[in-house]
């Protein structure tokens, strides 16, 4: 098995890890680094549970080769809170009851974070579009949309 | 109004710290992957694992011969088949390796030789089979009936008879978390970590597989990434499989299904074919109803008979019908088995009857809402099961729907839009649907409907709740915190719910039928009341306590009801109890009221209570592409006293979204028994773009039996979404849709039919 050493920034910390050439970014996060906040729901880029930010852009980490992250900045759900203190987006998710089983939550948070960084005051339609690649089977999306809307108005 | 309580598990889920089964790591962990049947019916002749075993990191292969206990029971799904495979996906063997990847790759190299048998995929054909049955000596597992009055008399009294055949499709839970389990071998027992919907069933099946008593298996719940009916018996199988490997290698073993496998083996909703005949007087009064159903159970029994029983009982809808005759046949086919899926037999009959009500309304030239209101059940009415009803709120639901949807104006606006835009590509439509749904397991339930909850007060006044019912994402834990905080009059931050661990809680049955609220809720009430009694007993020895005085537990203070001047803080009261050498250990065990069902007569007291709801949907249909947009969805549900109103909103929205999928896009497609849409690129579920505006309307009619007056939710919501949507599309196209899903092709076909009229 051909391997290589991946150097990248993970939640603002330098990280190096020896991995197979064919590994996806999701494989690296979950299986090598045991950063399990990022979830695997489908493995083919359809559910969004594995969403992370790559240089600030929301991507499905199951369809990104780890190689593409060489020297780049990756942000995951584990990087959102500062210690015990939740980010205000996470707080909005609590206030709007946007979490049920929670399996989609990490991906939703990362898609929303990516959106709000580029477009701090999105319309409802823009919010829906930004999370349209994130499936949620529990909430019917309405509370999630409201939470992101709330955050954009803070 | 209650104070707001955030979900108890929410912070861990928001920070990525919540541990789902696939997130768990143990030292020296090994991995297993399934080898599954590639044919729909036949016998395994040989298993050749030579190639698989020669791969790097592969440790071995296990078949049914490695099972010390039971590999299967009767008509139930096997842990690993002995020889007969009955659907594409049946488990034949497991490859074990040092990594998940190695296990999965090697599993593909195992070669199976089969002796194929004739397979059957169509229910009607399967019913006719005179040999080559899937189980036993008939492919019809059972026929369940309900008979009320004499249906022929009902049709004789009728001025109008309407007949219709409807069908519903096979859909699946599609929880975003794929099934996963870890077994950890311990010297004197097996520890299993998994997301269980029915933890005690999982424990029992693991024990039966390993041939040990149940106390030798300890199940600790991982966080559950959605259930909707899944993670029940399928989880029992997965847990048994990893336990086998863990025992054999004396190492922790994990197995996680790929999405494709989850779809191949995961829980499906029974497809139904239903023939209706309904009679009514000219003024709309219903006189008789006949419902003839066939349910596709797939290859194994699972809960098909229980599901069919519920369909039977609820087949008359929330309407007063003097004469009803219902029969349902449960039939095997060589396809993925059907099981309990959000709604448990309700969505099929709710779809059917609500479509038929609209058809009848059209025939009578009556408004669909008026027809439903005319026949809506009232307190004191006799249900089609013969039971006399109380606490009926269907009329209130329908009237709330009328009001909130601005019913008459909406109909007018839509009619004029369609008139004005007759040459354009869009048609608007509005449709409604209503339901009643039995709470909890009912008389046809497996075993007795009971649950146990323990509540401990610690010396510092903090509280731990141990519950035997799973948190599957529905907020069960939050509800228990609410109840304890209300009864003891303490702040919710004092209370924590432990992870479910079968070593410490009593067997509380499955988390099905939205029974969590009522059954576990009532057990929690009893446990908290016991604590209150214990505290009261100690306080009653105080001088200030007059005989038979009543205490009020509120705001962290305990006060004499008749003399509010006299009070003691909760904290001090707890100290007093412990200083007397007493314990503060509360134990709640709640059994649902006894119910009886006469299987021969098809009558009885089926459920101890029914919940009611009504909904309305506006659609915009593109008649060129067949695409339906949900413009607005109003969902009215009587939830009893809402224990956490924001959570109820979320549950209603989620239920509606799942129903939209059932109505418009979702269908597990099989070709010769093989599922062809086996991932989310081809199995289409609603996204945030597809749900329109969901408007939950919450009615709070106090329940006489629920904890603090609450009623179960979750499933009722999903059940009537699809018929409201198809009724709306039928309204838009002027052609009645009677089959699910109303996907592009089906809608286009009806565009043509509607034009022809
Ligand atoms: S796991 Fe990456 S999109 Fe589903
Ligand atoms: S909260 Fe369960 S999938 Fe979104």
């Amino acid at each position: 098995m051909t391997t290589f050493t991946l150097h990248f920034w993970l939640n603002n910390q330098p990280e190096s890890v020896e991995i197979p050439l064919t590994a996806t970014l999701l494989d690296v996060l979950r299986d090598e680094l045991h950063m399990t906040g990022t979830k695997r729901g489908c493995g083919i880029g359809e559910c969004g549970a594995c969403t992370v930010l790559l240089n600030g852009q929301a991507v499905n980490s199951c369809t990104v080769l780890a190689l593409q992250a060489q020297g780049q900045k990756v942000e995951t759900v584990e990087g959102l809170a500062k210690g015990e203190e939740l980010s205000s987006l996470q707080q909005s998710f609590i206030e709007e009851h946007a979490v049920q089983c929670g399996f989609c939550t990490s991906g939703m948070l990362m898609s929303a974070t990516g959106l709000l960084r580029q477009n701090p005051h999105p319309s409802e339609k823009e919010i829906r579009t930004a999370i349209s690649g994130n499936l949620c089977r529990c909430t019917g999306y309405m509370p999630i949309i409201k939470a992101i809307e709330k955050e954009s108005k803070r | 109004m209650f104070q707001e309580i955030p979900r108890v598990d929410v912070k861990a889920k928001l920070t990525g710290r919540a541990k789902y089964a696939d997130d768990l790591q143990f030292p020296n962990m090994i991995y297993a992957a399934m080898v599954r049947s590639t044919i729909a019916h036949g016998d395994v002749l040989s298993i050749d694992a030579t190639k698989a075993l020669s791969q790097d990191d592969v440790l071995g292969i296990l078949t049914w011969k490695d099972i010390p206990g039971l590999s299967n029971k009767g008509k139930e799904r096997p842990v690993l088949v002995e020889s007969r495979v009955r659907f594409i996906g049946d488990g034949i063997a497991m490859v074990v390796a040092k990594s998940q990847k190695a296990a999965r790759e090697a599993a593909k190299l195992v070669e199976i030789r089969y002796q194929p048998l004739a397979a059957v995929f169509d229910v009607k054909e399967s019913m006719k089979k005179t040999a080559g049955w899937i189980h036993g000596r008939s492919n019809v597992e059972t026929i369940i009936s309900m008979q009320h009055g004499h249906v022929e008399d009902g049709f004789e009294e009728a001025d109008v008879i309407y007949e219709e055949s409807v069908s519903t499709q096979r859909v699946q839970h599609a929880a975003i978390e794929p099934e996963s389990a870890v077994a950890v071998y311990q010297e004197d027992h097996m520890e299993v970590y998994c997301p269980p919907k029915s933890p005690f069933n999982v424990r029992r099946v693991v024990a039966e597989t390993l041939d040990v008593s149940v106390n030798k298996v300890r199940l600790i719940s991982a966080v559950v990434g959605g259930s909707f009916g899944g993670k029940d018996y399928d989880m029992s199988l997965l847990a048994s499989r990893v336990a086998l490997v863990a025992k054999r290698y004396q190492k922790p073993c994990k197995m996680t299904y790929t999405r494709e496998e989850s779809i191949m083996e995961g829980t499906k909703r029974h497809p139904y074919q239903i023939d209706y005949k309904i009679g009514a007087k000219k003024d709309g009064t219903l006189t008789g109803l006949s419902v003839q159903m066939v349910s596709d159970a797939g290859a194994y029994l699972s809960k098909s008979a229980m599901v069919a029983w519920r369909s039977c009982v609820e087949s008359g809808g929330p309407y007063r019908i003097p004469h009803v005759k219902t029969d349902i046949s449960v039939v095997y086919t060589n396809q993925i088995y059907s099981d309990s899926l959000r709604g448990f037999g309700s969505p099929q009959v709710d779809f059917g009857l609500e479509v038929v009500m609209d058809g009848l309304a059209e025939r009578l030239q009556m408004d669909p809402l008026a027809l439903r209101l005319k026949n809506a059940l009232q307190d004191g009415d006799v249900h089609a099961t013969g039971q006399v009803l109380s606490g009926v709120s269907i009329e209130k639901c329908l009237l709330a729907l009328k009001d909130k949807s601005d019913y008459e104006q909406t109909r007018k606006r839509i009619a004029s839009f369609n008139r004005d835009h007759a040459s354009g590509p869009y048609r608007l439509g509005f449709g409604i649907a209503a339901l009643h749904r039995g709470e909890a397991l009912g008389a046809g339930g497996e075993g007795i409907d009971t649950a146990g909850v323990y509540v401990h007060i610690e010396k510092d006044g903090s509280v731990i709740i141990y519950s035997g019912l799973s948190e599957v994402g529905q907020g069960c834990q939050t509800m228990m915190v609410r109840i304890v905080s209300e009864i003891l009059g303490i702040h919710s931050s004092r209370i924590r719910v432990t992870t479910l661990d079968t070593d410490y809680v009593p067997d509380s049955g499955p988390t099905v039928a939205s029974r969590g609220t009522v059954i576990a809720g009532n057990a929690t009430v009893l446990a908290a009341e016991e604590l209150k009694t214990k505290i009261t007993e100690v306080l009653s020895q105080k001088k200030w306590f007059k005989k038979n005085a009543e205490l009020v537990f509120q705001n962290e203070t305990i006060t004499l009801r008749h003399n509010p001047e006299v009070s003691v803080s909760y904290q001090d009261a707890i100290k007093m109890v412990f200083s007397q050498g007493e314990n503060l250990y509360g134990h709640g065990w709640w059994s649902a009221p006894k119910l009886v069902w006469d299987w021969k007569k098809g009558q009885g007291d089926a459920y101890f209570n029914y919940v009611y709801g009504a909904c309305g949907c506006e659609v915009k249909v593109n008649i060129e592409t067949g695409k339906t947009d949900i413009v607005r969805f109003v969902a009215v549900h009587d939830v009893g006293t809402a224990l956490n109103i924001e959570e109820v909103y979320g549950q209603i929205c989620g239920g509606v979204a799942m129903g939209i999928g059932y109505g418009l896009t979702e269908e597990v497609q099989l070709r010769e028994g093989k599922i062809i849409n086996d991932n989310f690129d081809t199995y289409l579920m609603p996204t945030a773009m597809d749900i329109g505006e969901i408007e939950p309307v919450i009615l709070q009619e106090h329940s006489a039996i629920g904890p603090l007056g609450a009623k179960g939710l979750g499933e009722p919501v999903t059940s009537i979404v699809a018929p409201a949507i198809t009724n709306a599309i039928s309204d838009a196209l002027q052609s009645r849709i009677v089959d699910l899903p109303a996907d592009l092709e089906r809608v286009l076909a009806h565009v043509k039919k509607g034009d022809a009229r």
Side-chain angles (χ1 to χ4, degrees), chain A residues 30 39 100-101 137 141, chain B residues 13 20 23 173 259 666 686:
Chain A
R30 287 188 60 83
K39 303 299 179 203
Q100 287 189 28
C101 85
R137 199 60 158 164
Y141 304 103
Chain B
K13 288 175 175 174
Y20 299 80
D23 302 338
H173 63 74
R259 176 56 57 186
E666 292 183 36

Side-chain angles (χ1 to χ4, degrees), chain B residues 328-646:
Chain B
I328 177 165
S329 306
V330 177
V331 180
Y332 292 116
T333 58
N334 290 108
Q335 304 178 99
I336 174 72
Y337 50 81
S338 311
D339 202 344
S340 66
L341 192 89
R342 199 174 198 172
F344 208 87
S346 303
Q348 296 94 330
V349 290
D350 288 332
F351 172 74
L353 187 64
E354 290 304 301
V355 165
V356 165
M357 287 297 277
D358 262 33
L360 176 66
E362 186 188 10
R363 185 69 55 84
L364 290 163
Q365 294 185 323
M366 209 174 157
D367 175 76
L369 179 61
L371 177 65
R372 286 170 174 88
L373 277 168
K374 175 147 203 95
N375 294 287
L377 285 168
Q378 307 283 350
D379 276 359
D381 274 345
V382 181
H383 186 258
T385 53
Q387 190 175 2
V388 178
L389 298 175
S390 60
V392 182
S393 57
I394 183 62
E395 189 176 6
K396 287 204 177 99
C397 292
L398 287 165
L399 291 173
L401 174 67
K402 184 176 181 183
D403 179 38
K404 297 290 177 193
S405 66
D406 207 357
Y407 188 76
E408 270 133 36
Q409 277 312 312
T410 301
R411 289 250 184 233
K412 274 190 205 139
R413 173 174 53 77
I414 286 175
S416 76
F417 175 95
N418 290 343
R419 226 179 299 117
D420 298 348
H421 298 78
S423 54
Y426 293 112
R427 297 286 177 276
L428 299 183
F430 191 74
I432 61 168
L435 101 161
H436 77 322
R437 187 167 194 282
E439 275 204 278
L441 295 180
E446 49 183 21
I448 308 160
D449 216 350
T450 50
V453 171
Y454 298 141
V455 181
H456 286 190
I457 302 180
E458 302 294 335
K459 285 188 176 156
D460 63 357
S462 63
V463 178
I464 305 182
I465 302 176
Y466 301 79
S467 160
L469 271 173
S470 283
E471 171 65 60
V472 295
Q474 81 284 43
C476 188
Q477 298 187 345
T478 312
M479 170 209 60
M480 292 188 281
V481 170
R482 148 84 61 225
I483 289 170
V484 172
S485 114
E486 288 297 323
I487 292 179
L488 295 180
I490 58 175
H491 199 270
S492 61
S493 61
R494 283 189 184 269
I495 309 167
R496 188 172 77 87
V497 186
T498 59
T499 301
L500 186 144
D501 180 335
T502 55
D503 267 10
Y504 299 113
V505 287
D507 184 344
S508 299
T511 312
V512 297
S514 308
R515 65 194 279 276
T517 306
V518 177
I519 311 282
N522 275 324
T524 311
V525 169
L526 292 176
E529 291 290 352
E530 184 176 321
L531 288 168
K532 218 168 148 175
T533 309
K534 286 186 175 177
I535 296 169
T536 305
E537 262 166 30
V538 169
L539 292 184
S540 68
Q541 294 153 20
K542 298 282 159 196
K543 273 202 221 74
W544 48 264
F545 193 97
K546 297 271 149 38
K547 227 183 159 192
N548 298 328
E550 209 187 311
L551 296 176
V552 180
F553 289 64
Q554 222 167 32
N555 298 330
E556 303 258 321
T557 317
I558 301 163
T559 319
L560 268 185
R561 184 176 298 283
H562 297 295
N563 187 1
E565 304 283 281
V566 182
S567 72
V568 51
S569 77
Y570 164 79
Q571 195 78 43
D572 287 344
I574 299 307
K575 256 194 220 132
M576 284 177 210
V577 176
F578 281 109
S579 68
Q580 303 274 316
E582 295 296 332
N583 71 71
L584 280 173
Y585 184 80
H587 165 231
W589 181 253
W590 197 78
S591 317
K594 289 262 171 327
L595 297 162
V596 269
W597 182 256
D598 185 331
W599 293 91
K600 258 226 210 89
K601 283 201 193 131
Q603 291 280 279
D605 291 345
Y607 292 101
F608 57 77
N609 188 39
Y610 290 87
V611 294
Y612 300 86
C615 64
C617 174
E618 181 174 337
V619 295
K620 185 165 99 180
V621 185
N622 183 328
I623 56 170
E624 282 160 14
T625 62
K627 177 147 195 319
T628 302
D629 288 327
I630 307 292
V631 179
R632 183 177 181 214
F633 200 100
V634 182
V636 184
H637 288 277
D638 172 12
V639 304
T641 308
L643 293 180
N644 210 349
I645 200 138
E646 294 295 329

Side-chain angles (χ1 to χ4, degrees), chain B residues 160-164 278 282 284 354-369 371-372 411 727 730-731 733-738 754 757:
Chain B
V160 171
I161 300 273
Y162 176 73
E163 290 180 78
E164 190 71 87
I278 191 165
K282 275 201 203 87
E354 290 304 301
V355 165
V356 165
M357 287 297 277
D358 262 33
L360 176 66
E362 186 188 10
R363 185 69 55 84
L364 290 163
Q365 294 185 323
M366 209 174 157
D367 175 76
L369 179 61
L371 177 65
R372 286 170 174 88
R411 289 250 184 233
N727 283 344
S730 303
D731 179 46
L733 302 180
Q734 296 295 305
S735 170
R736 189 151 315 285
I737 293 185
V738 294
R757 295 200 342 167

Side-chain angles (χ1 to χ4, degrees), chain A residues 26 38-51 59-63 103 133-135, chain B residues 176 259 679-680:
Chain A
L26 179 62
T38 307
K39 303 299 179 203
R40 184 184 274 116
C42 68
I44 59 162
E46 289 289 335
C47 75
C50 65
T51 308
V59 295
N60 289 326
S61 61
C62 71
T63 56
F103 206 77
N134 295 81
L135 295 175
Chain B
I176 311 301
R259 176 56 57 186
N679 206 323
F680 294 153

